[in-house]
Amino acid sequence: MEVPRRPQPSFTLALPKLASSALSPLGAVEKVAKKDPMKEKLQEKKDGATKGDQFGEEAFSTEEESDVSVFVEAPAETSELEGTNTKLSSQDSFSEDSSMSEERLAEEAEEAKKKREEEEAAAKERAAQRQMLAIEELVQSERNYLRLLQVSTVTIRSNLQKLQPPPANLDSMFLYIEEVIDVSSRLLSLLDQKKIQPSDPLYLQTLCDSFLSLTSDIEAAYKEYLANYSQVTVVENSYKQKETLWNEIVKVIKASAPEVNATSLSFFLVMPVQRIARYPLLLQTIQKHTDKSHPAYALLEQTAHTSIALNCRINEYKRFREVADKYKKTETLTIKDKINRLNTHSIAKKTARLSQHFKHETGIVPKLVDEEFDALEGFFYVLEHGILELLENVETYLHHLQGFLACKTEEFDFDMDGEKAPICYKEITTALRQWILPTFEKRMRTLIHKPLCALRDLLVGPRNLIRKRLDKLLDYEVIEAKSNLSYEEQAVANTYRTINTLLLNELPQFNGLALQMIWSMLGTFSCLHKDLASDMEQLFQSFAQQLPHSSLNPSAFWEWAESAVLGGARSLETLCRSVEETLNAPFVQPLSPSSQRRLKQLTDKHGSGKIYQVAAAVVGSRDLDLNLAKGELVAIISEADSRGDKRRWLVDAGGRRGYAPSAKLIRYHQPTADPPPSPHLNLPDGMTGIRRHSYTPENRPLTVMSQPCFQVLAAYDFTARGNHEVSVRAGEPVRVLEPHDKRGNPEWSLVEARGGLRGYVPSNYLTIMPVGTGPPGMFPPY
């Protein structure tokens, strides 16, 4: 019996194929895992499951081997079926693993999304917290800033004013700070009115609306304060130079504000300068921590830009003011100071300006025309002329009013005590002079004269700026055509543009305010006179019953008043005419002997109708003008100069010829009778000339002169022109000491006047008259 051989199983070769077929999808999975890093963990689990499958397959193959020992031969169809079942089991395990990985990936993505949302929410919360802190910083710092300003303005300022003596120019240090305090308090009050907390989203919108609504007021307050801040430092430095005063000021500051540990006034007064520059920083910080989706973000961005523009305008205004303060000053320099300021630069600059001006006048170079500025300049000069004329008229009015008050006619006694009219007149004029008119004058000076003087002083600044603009315009025209400007030329151009812009912006406001002040003062002038008329009417009504014509009816009273006024006007006209005739009487001044010789010379040459006398001293100011003394005689050659100007006459001054103003020349009228001769040349009959200083020892009989006795008088007024002459008046008795001068000239006599004064007078000014005769009011005999 033959033992059958073990047949070779057909599935032994299928195992590697099964393994390879089972591993082929795993290889695909491994490739996908390499592309997606987030599926690494799932891949590891998947590999473990695959290893388990392989281990199961190996066990299955071992069992098959045991079965093969029982069955000697297996058909081929059985091995193929087993291979197919193995492939299906591998595909099912892979699909299950893929679904599990997708679920886990979705869970992890959801977790990452939630984490991102939590981080974004935390970031938004932190930004909101920072936004709220920034808003609170702005508001709280504004409150502290306002509190310190109020401490400096109220407490420290009042305590400094109590010092004895108070510091000079203290008020100028706190100039415009009240406006800054006002605008800051208004900003905080607008925030407090809404009663909203800073954490509320509406609070940011309220803050922006409040700031934007006060932008113009903030600019107006801060720009004036910052422009005046340089004056604060100047005044404080002047205080520091006085050690005792400065120590007292520091003590007052420390006692008034101990919590801030300040040692100077500038610690408080510099705060507005720092605060206005801090607004953009605070607003930009709030904007940085505000989400763009916030409903007030656009308004906040506008507010931040507005604060930056606000600072730019304030800086520009401060620069304009510095230029204006530099050039509007009026310096009173002596000739020596002006010479010391001359240097090559200034000479070259003035030469260039003069050359440019000549080019304008000759038409070589066209002049730069600005019609807007020319109109403003013309209106300014019209206003200046009107202000000066009005001030001059007001001063003349007050001068005449003072003259009227100085003439106290009620103090004179006219021996009319029994009549009612003079008594009423005296009481009325007393009331006018003591109460009504002095009050009126005081109000005139306070309400009209002082404002006009202040307005006149304010004209100096714009006038100097206009003149300086003309100089800078000439400099600017020289460099305007250049393409490349040096640093100095660029500074010149910037200076001209700054002055021109400043005048175009400020001059209309100045002209408007000046015109408004003029109209206001004219209205005040009318109101003052209306009040004066009302006071005078009330005064006269109290005396109306005591006046003689108070019983007349209105028509009869006005008829009597008109006739009385017309009669008084005629009397006044007659008086004025008589005074004018007296004042215009021929001007006759006594002539010295030399003037008499010149008179004879001019009369023989030109005739008596051409002789004129100089009424006031003439000082020549042009070529061919003469210098003439008062009382000098001249002859008229022509009543006009070479150009036909009748205000300058061609005259002959006794050899010298030239021009003299016709207003200072009056026709000379020769006296009808010649002055009497010297009393020492022709003595009256019956008198014997006795030589003075002669002494004869012989005994002579005493001769008693019979009446009338004669005395020497001054026939004309004579004014001494030096120490060797003596002044006498007409009719004044004198005693002749010598009938000639030291050279023996008989035209001058040495006399002794009353009071023991001695000197020379012209001999033909003296006359001899008997004692007791002469015009009324003559001096008693000497």
Side-chain angles (χ1 to χ4, degrees), residues 529-739:
H529 281 78
K530 183 178 180 180
D531 295 342
L532 177 63
S534 177
D535 294 340
M536 295 179 71
E537 181 182 5
Q538 185 177 0
L539 174 65
F540 278 95
Q541 285 179 354
S542 60
F543 294 94
Q545 301 300 326
Q546 303 178 22
L547 295 176
H549 301 282
S550 59
S551 59
L552 297 177
N553 55 32
S555 59
F557 174 79
W558 286 113
E559 184 179 355
W560 167 82
E562 183 180 0
S563 61
V565 169
L566 292 177
R570 285 191 293 269
S571 302
L572 182 61
E573 185 179 359
T574 304
L575 176 62
C576 292
R577 189 182 300 111
S578 63
V579 171
E580 185 177 0
E581 291 175 355
T582 303
L583 293 176
N584 294 334
F587 177 77
V588 178
Q589 182 172 344
L591 300 178
S592 64
S594 59
S595 298
Q596 288 183 353
R597 290 194 296 270
R598 179 185 293 185
L599 175 62
K600 185 175 182 304
Q601 177 186 357
L602 295 175
T603 304
D604 295 342
K605 188 175 182 180
H606 300 282
S608 60
K610 296 287 187 178
I611 308 301
Y612 280 73
Q613 193 169 21
V614 180
V618 176
V619 178
S621 59
R622 304 184 188 177
D623 295 338
L624 302 179
D625 282 358
L626 296 178
N627 295 328
L628 302 174
K630 181 180 179 180
E632 196 170 347
L633 295 177
V634 295
I636 303 300
I637 299 176
S638 175
E639 294 185 356
D641 60 4
S642 58
R643 295 183 178 181
D645 188 0
K646 295 186 178 181
R647 294 175 297 178
R648 299 173 71 231
W649 288 359
L650 180 62
V651 300
D652 182 5
R656 296 175 298 146
R657 292 191 176 189
Y659 293 102
S662 59
K664 294 185 178 182
L665 300 178
I666 58 174
R667 187 179 297 277
Y668 177 74
H669 297 271
Q670 299 185 17
T672 55
D674 294 334
S678 173
H680 304 287
L681 301 179
N682 297 319
L683 296 178
D685 296 338
M687 293 189 66
T688 304
I690 302 176
R691 185 188 180 107
R692 295 186 299 105
H693 307 296
S694 60
Y695 177 75
T696 54
E698 295 91 356
N699 293 328
R700 294 185 178 180
L702 180 61
T703 304
V704 179
M705 299 180 63
S706 60
Q707 294 292 336
C709 295
F710 293 91
Q711 60 180 349
V712 179
L713 303 175
Y716 305 95
D717 292 339
F718 176 73
T719 303
R721 296 168 296 181
N723 296 331
H724 61 284
E725 297 176 356
V726 65
S727 300
V728 293
R729 288 185 293 171
E732 180 180 355
V734 297
R735 187 170 64 179
V736 179
L737 302 180
E738 290 182 356

Side-chain angles (χ1 to χ4, degrees), residues 141 144-150 152 177 180 222 225-226 229 260 262 265-279:
S141 60
N144 295 334
Y145 162 70
L146 178 61
R147 180 180 60 83
L148 291 177
L149 285 185
Q150 290 173 345
S152 65
I177 198 170
V180 174
Y222 278 90
Y225 184 85
L226 267 66
Y229 183 72
V260 294
L265 285 172
S266 59
F267 177 86
F268 299 96
L269 299 180
V270 77
M271 288 181 178
V273 182
Q274 299 170 342
R275 187 64 184 176
I276 191 62
R278 198 178 175 193
Y279 282 131

